[in-house]
Amino acid sequence: MSEAPGAVPEEPDAVQRALIEWYEADHRSFPWRETTDPYEILVSEVMSQQTQLSRVETAWAEFLDRWPAVADLAAADRSAVVAFWTDHSLGYNNRARYLHEAAGQVVDDHGGEFPTTPDGLQELQGVGPYTANAVASFAFNNGDAVVDTNVKRVLYRAFDVPDDDAAFEDAAAELMPEGESRVWNNAIMELGGVACEKTPACDEAGCPWRTWCHAYETGDFTAPDVPTQPSFEGSRRQFRGRVVKLLGEHDELELDEIGPRIRVDYAPGGEYGREWLRGLLDDLEGDELVETEERENGVVARLRQ
């Protein structure tokens, strides 16, 4: 039977053991789960943000083949890193810029060695609390309990934890065995990814928490709302990516050379014309990916070096 609503088991040993044994017996194989290299893990974490893991596997391997160590990435031309990101449809290009800058920090400020704690890792450019904790956990076994969308869903259903960030953080921390962040965080995220998805597969996946699960006992498998990713097709993000890719193939281009190459209905004075395109370029300039220059014949743009 489950515990009282809103509570994790007071003696969580059996819950912990059941989950770890379930995970170690069989889990999805991803190459970044087979390494403890913090650089390789950081690359996987940044790539995995709102990107399907099937696409990440190929991109991750090719990225590391091109820049196999943090020093290689730090020494790379930023425009090449951004172009790689765009070519592999890995989402917002500023992630590539941040990853490149973080590599430079590791080399210049830390002698090529990654910080080993979540707080230390958060000092790297673009590395937020979740990513820092994931790298600390998976590379150094030195993290806190990870709380992502999958983990929230598991805790909400299994132990009726309220839909509140602080409550999720507390429950996750109570459940994680001390000194076991690497295997525990992998295991609980795996549980949410294969057994406790939006449509649960409790019996099919052999969920190890069915004995304690509030949702399994009551049949109520509701879960917190999950934000949806805006459509990529036709979005400003898609056209920003096209601009970056195009400029990666040319030294510089004028606005009216860029427009028709990224949008078939581009018209200089139209709804999707120079003003619209200049807005995209302003966004990219703000992200320090592109620079523009006013000339007598108009505006030209180039990738920022």
Side-chain angles (χ1 to χ4, degrees):
M1 298 294 288
S2 65
E3 295 284 314
V8 300
E10 291 184 7
E11 298 293 336
D13 292 2
V15 170
Q16 295 165 343
R17 186 169 59 253
L19 178 59
I20 291 173
E21 289 177 354
W22 172 84
Y23 174 77
E24 291 182 335
D26 184 31
H27 60 260
R28 292 173 297 176
S29 176
F30 296 116
W32 47 85
R33 283 182 171 173
E34 310 304 320
T35 181
T36 57
D37 185 321
Y39 169 63
E40 296 180 357
I41 291 168
L42 176 62
V43 172
S44 76
E45 289 294 332
V46 175
M47 284 188 175
S48 299
Q49 294 170 12
Q50 296 178 315
T51 303
Q52 292 178 343
L53 292 182
S54 58
R55 290 216 317 269
V56 171
E57 282 194 83
T58 299
W60 183 81
E62 292 180 9
F63 190 96
L64 294 178
D65 185 59
R66 187 165 180 181
W67 299 292
V70 68
D72 300 312
L73 181 59
D77 185 273
R78 180 167 60 184
S79 62
V81 181
V82 172
F84 179 97
W85 214 259
T86 301
D87 289 344
H88 290 75
S89 302
L90 289 168
Y92 297 106
N93 290 323
N94 57 3
R95 292 181 193 148
R97 178 168 65 87
Y98 292 154
L99 187 57
H100 181 251
E101 291 184 15
Q105 287 177 276
V106 171
V107 171
D108 295 339
D109 301 341
H110 299 278
E113 299 292 331
F114 274 78
T116 61
T117 66
D119 287 345
L121 286 159
Q122 278 194 74
E123 295 177 4
L124 301 180
Q125 181 68 38
V127 176
Y130 174 82
T131 300
N133 192 40
V135 175
S137 294
F138 305 141
F140 304 111
N141 197 27
N142 193 33
D144 302 315
V146 164
V147 180
D148 68 355
T149 299
N150 281 340
V151 172
K152 289 180 180 180
R153 188 186 312 118
V154 167
L155 296 176
Y156 183 91
R157 286 175 173 165
F159 305 115
D160 202 21
V161 175
D163 183 8
D164 173 80
D165 286 346
F168 286 130
E169 295 278 353
D170 290 344
E174 286 181 50
L175 277 172
M176 188 182 79
E178 186 175 356
E180 301 264 9
S181 61
R182 178 182 289 133
V183 66
W184 180 261
N185 285 329
N186 269 320
I188 196 169
M189 288 193 295
E190 181 79 353
L191 187 66
V194 303
C196 200
E197 297 179 281
K198 290 183 180 179
T199 300
C202 315
D203 296 323
E204 300 90 327
C207 174
W209 282 1
R210 285 170 291 178
T211 300
W212 302 275
C213 181
H214 177 75
Y216 193 75
E217 180 183 342
T218 63
D220 179 4
F221 288 96
T222 56
D225 291 334
V226 179
T228 56
Q229 173 77 354
S231 173
F232 179 71
E233 188 65 32
S235 67
R236 287 178 66 84
R237 181 161 58 97
Q238 182 184 43
F239 289 109
R240 282 163 45 106
R242 289 180 181 178
V243 170
V244 170
K245 183 175 182 180
L246 179 64
L247 292 179
E249 299 168 353
H250 300 270
D251 291 334
E252 60 182 31
L253 290 172
E254 295 181 358
L255 260 65
D256 288 344
E257 294 176 304
I258 297 171
R261 298 188 192 193
I262 67 165
R263 186 162 193 138
V264 67
D265 57 348
Y266 176 84
E271 179 181 0
Y272 298 110
R274 290 176 187 148
E275 185 176 348
W276 169 82
L277 179 54
R278 190 56 199 259
L280 293 181
L281 292 171
D282 287 345
D283 289 348
L284 291 167
E285 277 196 289
D287 288 338
E288 300 182 11
L289 296 173
V290 165
E291 56 187 15
T292 60
E293 180 182 345
E294 297 277 355
R295 292 187 182 166
E296 185 176 343
N297 295 329
V299 176
V300 297
R302 65 181 74 86
L303 284 186
R304 183 168 178 173
Q305 301 299 316

